[in-house]
Amino acid sequence: MAKSTLFFNKFISIGFKDFLVLTKFRLSLSVVVSSVAGYLLAVDSIEVSVILLLLLGGCLTVGASNAFNQWMEKELDAKMNRTKNRPLPQKRITSSVAMTIATLMTVLGCLSLYLINIYTSLLALLSLIIYLLVYTPLKTKTPLAVFFGAFPGAIPFMLGWIAATGNFGIEAGTLFAIQFFWQFPHFWSIAWIADTDYQKAGFRLLPTGKRDSGTVFQIVFYTLWMIVISIFPATNYTGDLHLSPAGLGIIILMGLGVLYYALKLMANPTTLQAKPLIRICIVYITMLQLTYVIDKFVTQ
């Protein structure tokens, strides 16, 4: 009884700020917004209840995966400047409390998504499993971890479509591919800047293992693929997912903006040049989703 009381007291004494850090709430919310965009692309009439369940279930499951990840990597986080002040390395949250939070969020999140349909719930659970059991342990072993990590990262955009339709087809696959290829220039530019810190924890996340011309070449290469996939719906070979000529023009211009900064990094491979690439990648995926949604409702 005394142990359970002590655990309960620790559980309820968690600071709100530490909870947000443990679950990476801002990141979780931005990820979930992409699932709402996917939902809007699939429907003719909007059901507010489904959007609310997507937001709730998505935030809970993504937040749970972040909490599990920090629990698994607490010793490694303590070695890096960027993560050493997180609540687990600083012992502001105990491992058992973090595990409890992550488990509860997983259950509640999957149940929320199950109320939409079973496929949405299972996909969210699959994303969490790949993130924790494949991507996380591979981070200290091989740069291929980023490839496997791109799978759960690409699921949310597709998840919204499946929440609306209950079906996986060319449309959902295209949304998945867009966010899949986008992650490489985005994440590698982050890893470029944080490489020295990552090495303290033994993380090998750049494609060649270091900041060199081979890594920059792959950033540019995947940026080109990202642009190609992003404009694919304009070909009318993607089922019910379409992109008008105006939308196509906007996406191409934004893609060229990302390519411009990727080429600047190739010409001058420094940390200073990697920073704007991170920002333009975030702007790109946000504006792409907004463009797709607006284009759908304006041109339908």
Side-chain angles (χ1 to χ4, degrees):
M1 180 66 72
K3 287 184 178 180
S4 61
T5 301
L6 179 61
F7 175 82
F8 180 74
N9 289 337
K10 289 181 178 179
F11 186 84
I12 64 174
S13 65
I14 296 172
F16 183 63
K17 183 177 179 180
D18 281 338
F19 173 78
L20 296 182
V21 173
L22 179 69
T23 58
K24 294 185 181 178
F25 178 75
R26 287 174 60 187
L27 174 62
S28 299
L29 186 59
S30 66
V31 169
V32 171
V33 167
S34 69
S35 68
V36 174
Y39 169 81
L40 293 175
L41 288 172
V43 298
D44 294 320
S45 59
I46 297 170
E47 293 184 46
V48 176
S49 60
V50 175
I51 291 180
L52 292 176
L53 285 170
L54 265 177
L55 288 170
L56 176 63
C59 281
L60 286 170
T61 52
V62 175
S65 67
N66 290 326
F68 275 126
N69 174 261
Q70 290 186 42
W71 171 77
M72 295 171 69
E73 295 184 341
K74 55 184 179 296
E75 289 85 6
L76 299 178
D77 281 349
K79 298 178 181 180
M80 297 184 290
N81 293 331
R82 63 192 297 272
T83 55
K84 66 183 181 182
N85 291 319
R86 285 177 174 174
L88 278 167
Q90 292 296 319
K91 303 187 185 305
R92 296 193 301 271
I93 296 179
T94 65
S95 294
S96 58
V97 168
M99 274 290 290
T100 302
I101 290 172
T103 302
L104 286 173
M105 290 179 70
T106 300
V107 173
L108 293 174
C110 287
L111 284 174
S112 298
L113 296 174
Y114 180 77
L115 294 175
I116 301 174
N117 60 54
I118 189 171
Y119 306 111
T120 307
S121 182
L122 289 176
L123 267 175
L125 183 59
L126 176 63
S127 175
L128 186 147
I129 290 171
I130 296 174
Y131 185 78
L132 297 175
L133 300 185
V134 181
Y135 168 68
T136 297
L138 284 179
K139 286 165 69 176
T140 57
K141 296 178 173 60
T142 173
L144 284 174
V146 175
F147 173 79
F148 290 105
F151 281 88
I155 285 177
F157 202 13
M158 171 181 72
L159 192 75
W161 187 282
I162 293 174
T165 65
N167 294 310
F168 179 89
I170 185 65
E171 302 92 347
T174 302
L175 296 180
F176 175 89
I178 290 170
Q179 198 143 319
F180 180 82
F181 282 99
W182 166 81
Q183 288 177 88
F184 293 97
H186 176 245
F187 184 80
W188 281 333
S189 56
I190 294 173
W192 183 285
I193 293 172
D195 184 55
T196 302
D197 215 20
Y198 280 150
Q199 288 184 27
K200 295 176 185 177
F203 291 156
R204 302 173 57 195
L205 299 176
L206 291 173
T208 65
K210 53 187 176 180
R211 291 181 280 201
D212 61 7
S213 59
T215 286
V216 179
F217 172 81
Q218 293 205 46
I219 289 174
V220 173
F221 178 76
Y222 278 92
T223 298
L224 290 170
W225 269 110
M226 176 196 74
I227 296 170
V228 170
I229 298 299
S230 296
I231 64 176
F232 188 51
T235 64
N236 293 322
Y237 287 109
T238 52
D240 293 327
L241 181 65
H242 305 289
L243 188 63
S244 71
L248 171 65
I250 294 170
I251 298 299
I252 289 175
L253 286 174
M254 293 193 302
L256 291 176
V258 179
L259 182 61
Y260 169 77
Y261 283 101
L263 290 172
K264 283 192 70 174
L265 180 61
M266 175 178 277
N268 184 20
T270 63
T271 298
L272 185 63
Q273 289 298 336
K275 289 181 178 179
L277 182 56
I278 296 173
R279 292 192 288 268
I280 193 67
C281 281
I282 294 172
V283 171
Y284 176 83
I285 196 64
T286 303
M287 294 306 297
L288 176 141
Q289 292 166 357
L290 185 61
T291 299
Y292 267 54
V293 171
I294 293 174
D295 189 69
K296 179 256 179 81
F297 285 101
V298 168
T299 61
Q300 69 176 0

